């Protein structure tokens, strides 16, 4: 951020600059509503970078016709969800980066709120809970994502900054979901993100892996204010059971790797939670696999029932460990309220 000179001749900080990244791929049905929402706040951005993965449905034509900004740039590249995000972020120059994913919208006042909080809290990430909508913008039931849960647990009436221990613990506990929730509801410090790209080997869970890998060095501010929406729509690429199993196993490795720098100081409950998490997920995946294959004989049926019992037991024990760890966080004073 540069300095300007005030009326009294004293230096004063300039307005923080904002870069917006718009990653797209074959999302034409979502773009009309998305561009209408962007038009209400686009002039807050110092630059807008559209990263299109060679769409074939006219997405790019719609954007060129409907998005107007004096510093608008286009990048065309091969497909890749987080690869597109990373390339767009790497091309930004702003103090702050907002990722405007197709179909997900943010209100002008809320974007200003996130900017003000980021500066005041000296944060690396400002997180907010979204509301959930369908492809037409109609309200849907909340999906129970981590940001809303953290707000309810810690401070439902004002923004707050999490301690490093809290960021580590919450990133760990909420996996395979993500403490970040939806990036289209968040604001990221540009310098922080340009040096820490999203992992691209986790399919749709790159944000989960990102916050776990960077938990120890990321200052997180959370606001209870909701001023954005997340569009719940069908994914183009569905994961197979084998891919889902591989993804979960890789996330389990990330969970365990998160604890390694902490060494012997790690509470034994973390290790118990990790074991229960692994057994719970693997039991569930195997149970689903047997169900989809068809339970055609008594041996398979018995195996399925045993897996169900193991899953329910592990789920119960996992909940106990997670509640205990969350309780420890609350007692430890793991957040600082912003007045």
């Amino acid at each position: 951020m540069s300095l300007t000179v005030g009326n009294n001749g004293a230096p004063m900080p300039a307005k923080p600059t904002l870069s917006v990244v718009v990653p797209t791929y074959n999302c034409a049905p979502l773009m009309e509503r998305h561009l209408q929402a962007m038009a209400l706040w686009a002039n807050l951005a110092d630059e807008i970078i559209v990263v299109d993965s060679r769409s074939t449905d006219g997405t790019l034509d719609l954007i060129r016709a409907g998005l107007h900004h004096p510093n608008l740039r286009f990048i065309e590249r091969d497909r890749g969800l987080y690869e597109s995000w990373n390339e767009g972020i790497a091309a930004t120059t702003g103090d702050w980066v907002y990722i405007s994913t197709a179909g997900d919208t943010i209100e002008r006042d809320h974007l200003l709120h996130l900017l003000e909080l980021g500066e005041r809290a000296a944060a690396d990430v400002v997180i907010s809970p979204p509301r959930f909508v369908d492809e037409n913008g109609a309200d849907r039931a909340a999906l129970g994502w981590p940001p809303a849960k953290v707000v309810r647990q810690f401070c439902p009436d004002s923004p707050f900054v999490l301690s490093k221990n809290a960021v580590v613990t919450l990133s760990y506990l909420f996996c395979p979901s993500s403490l970040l929730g939806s990036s289209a509801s968040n604001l990221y410090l540009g310098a922080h993100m340009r040096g820490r790209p999203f992992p691209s080997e986790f399919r749709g869970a790159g944000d989960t892996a990102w916050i776990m890998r960077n938990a120890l060095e990321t200052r997180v501010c959370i606001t209870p204010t909701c001023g954005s929406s997340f569009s719940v729509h069908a994914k183009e690429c569905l994961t197979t059971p084998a891919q889902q199993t591989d993804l979960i196993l890789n996330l389990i490795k990330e969970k365990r790797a998160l604890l390694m720098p902490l060494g012997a100081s790690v509470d034994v409950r973390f290790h118990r939670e990790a074991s229960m998490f692994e057994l719970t997920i693997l039991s569930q995946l195997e149970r689903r696999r047997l169900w989809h294959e068809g339970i055609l004989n008594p041996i398979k049926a018995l195996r399925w029932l045993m897996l169900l019992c193991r899953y329910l037991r592990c789920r119960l024990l996992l909940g106990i460990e997670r509640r205990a760890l969350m309780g420890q966080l609350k007692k430890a004073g793991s957040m600082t309220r912003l007045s």
Side-chain angles (χ1 to χ4, degrees):
M1 190 188 308
S2 61
L3 292 177
T4 58
V5 178
N7 293 333
N8 60 0
M12 57 183 292
K15 178 181 74 72
T17 54
L18 173 66
S19 298
V20 175
V21 175
V22 185
T24 58
Y25 174 70
N26 282 356
C27 49
L30 300 172
M31 289 314 299
E32 181 177 358
R33 185 171 62 85
H34 190 86
L35 292 172
Q36 287 174 352
M38 281 190 71
L40 301 177
W41 56 259
N43 66 333
L44 297 177
D46 294 273
E47 60 182 0
I48 298 177
I49 300 171
V50 176
V51 185
D52 185 71
S53 296
R54 310 193 198 287
S55 294
T56 57
D57 69 343
T59 293
L60 204 52
D61 294 331
L62 288 173
I63 295 173
R64 290 186 189 277
L67 181 57
H68 307 288
H69 191 273
N71 194 4
L72 174 62
R73 287 181 281 158
F74 291 88
I75 297 174
E76 295 186 62
R77 53 154 291 122
D78 293 336
R79 287 182 61 186
L81 174 61
Y82 292 106
E83 293 92 338
S84 295
W85 289 25
N86 291 336
E87 187 163 346
I89 292 169
T92 62
T93 61
D95 298 315
W96 294 95
V97 173
Y98 174 65
I99 303 172
S100 182
T101 45
D104 305 326
T105 63
I106 192 167
E107 297 166 12
R108 181 186 182 90
D109 286 347
H110 192 61
L111 189 51
L112 288 169
H113 173 63
L114 298 182
L115 278 165
E116 188 273 331
L117 278 181
E119 291 287 304
R120 181 152 57 100
D124 298 310
V125 180
V126 185
I127 297 171
S128 70
R131 69 183 182 96
F132 297 90
V133 300
D134 62 21
E135 294 186 31
N136 298 314
D139 286 339
R140 288 190 47 154
L143 297 182
W145 280 6
K149 292 180 179 178
V150 174
V151 164
R152 285 196 301 270
Q153 286 281 338
F154 287 93
C155 191
D157 56 0
S158 69
F160 55 96
V161 176
L162 291 174
S163 68
K164 284 189 177 181
N165 180 55
V167 178
V168 170
T169 302
L170 294 172
S171 300
Y172 181 90
L173 289 179
F174 285 122
C175 176
S177 189
S178 175
L179 175 61
L180 296 175
S182 166
S183 282
S185 301
N186 305 338
L187 195 65
Y188 296 94
L189 187 66
H192 192 74
M193 296 305 298
R194 288 187 281 269
R196 296 169 181 82
F198 285 96
S200 58
E201 66 268 30
F202 291 89
R203 301 182 68 84
D207 44 359
T208 302
W210 185 90
I211 191 60
M212 286 197 291
R213 287 183 179 181
N214 296 288
L216 282 170
E217 52 190 16
T218 298
R219 183 171 169 84
V220 173
C221 176
I222 300 182
T223 175
T225 303
C226 176
S228 61
S229 68
F230 178 83
S231 174
V232 181
H233 55 275
K235 306 297 182 186
E236 185 190 3
C237 296
L238 300 177
T239 56
T240 66
Q243 289 172 331
Q244 190 176 21
T245 300
D246 287 343
L247 172 60
I248 292 296
L249 290 175
N250 286 333
L251 288 173
I252 288 171
K253 291 178 183 177
E254 291 293 320
K255 277 175 73 94
R256 294 192 180 277
L258 176 58
L259 302 182
M260 290 178 62
L262 305 179
S265 65
V266 176
D267 191 308
V268 68
R269 286 189 180 276
F270 279 96
H271 295 294
R272 290 206 297 261
E273 193 277 348
S275 297
M276 285 300 103
F277 172 76
E278 185 171 354
L279 285 171
T280 301
I281 292 295
L282 294 180
S283 298
Q284 176 73 335
L285 290 174
E286 178 65 10
R287 188 170 68 89
R288 285 179 177 175
R289 185 187 67 80
L290 283 176
W291 181 266
H292 288 300
E293 283 182 358
I295 303 173
L296 302 177
N297 59 64
I299 295 176
K300 272 194 173 184
L302 179 60
R303 171 67 176 158
W304 187 86
L305 285 173
M306 291 173 63
L307 285 167
L308 175 61
C309 291
R310 187 172 76 175
Y311 167 75
L312 293 174
R313 177 179 177 274
C314 290
R315 181 82 179 265
L316 174 64
L317 295 174
L318 180 64
I320 292 172
E321 298 298 343
R322 288 184 167 179
R323 283 192 293 273
L325 286 166
M326 188 70 80
Q328 289 177 4
L329 270 188
K330 293 180 73 173
K331 287 180 182 178
S334 301
M335 66 88 179
T336 302
R337 185 192 300 263
L338 296 176
S339 57

